[in-house]
Amino acid sequence: MSPSPSDELGRPMDISPGTGLDADKNRLNGVVPIHKGGPEDASEDKRVNASAFIDMIDVMFHSSVPIVISWGLSMGLIFGGCCSNVFALEAIVKDEPESGLLITFTQFVVTFLLTWPRHFSSTQRPWYLKTPAVPLLRWAPNILLFFSVNMLNNFAFGYNISVPVHIILRSGGSVTTILVGWIWGKHFSNMQVVSVGMLTVGIIIAALADAQSKVFSHF
């Protein structure tokens, strides 16, 4: 058994981990000693870990709740508003196929009533409207196109076209967009052209299937 080390005065030195010579060597070598704690230290570590985990869950909950609410509200307005609109339109058209003009007129009136307060001006006569940032003449082509498209859509219901097929046919405007863009010198990628082609084929298939179902229903 080797004798225990002593200092200059002959006193024994403590060489237990974390003290004495080992501690000096560890400090010089940059080594941090690891102390093995008892049951109290282990329970304290568990409490600290549990508290950190609870704090993390709390932060995640408070940060995700607004996102979930916003997402749910958006999805509810999209599916609820659009689906209810389609159901109401289909119910009206089934009973009154020629009521499209009245629906369009109501749409224009409601839009006017909702947007008019923001453009009202008591000093601008005779229409009492604020001076627009863009002249009205520049909006005229868009207004005429929007009005014409709505009128044509209303006339389409007179041919006993179902509302789902009508919506599918209205989604075929991508072909027109590509053609007009190509005329104006805009270039489209192969993926865009293929996607529009597949969409067009699907629209044609849906229209033909609807026409065949109506033909067979007469027999």
Side-chain angles (χ1 to χ4, degrees), residues 5 12 27 49 75 79 82 86 96 120 125 146 157 163 171-172 179 205 217:
R27 283 194 295 268
N49 294 333
M75 297 299 292
F79 287 99
C82 293
V86 171
E96 296 291 338
F120 173 75
R125 297 182 179 180
F146 180 73
F157 288 120
V163 174
S171 64
L179 291 177
I205 293 174
S217 63

Side-chain angles (χ1 to χ4, degrees), residues 17 25 34 38 50 60 63 80 90 96 99 105 137 143 176 192 197:
K25 291 180 180 180
I34 300 176
M60 292 176 60
S63 61
E90 188 170 10
E96 296 291 338
S99 61
F105 176 76
L137 291 177
I143 295 172
T176 306
Q192 291 175 328

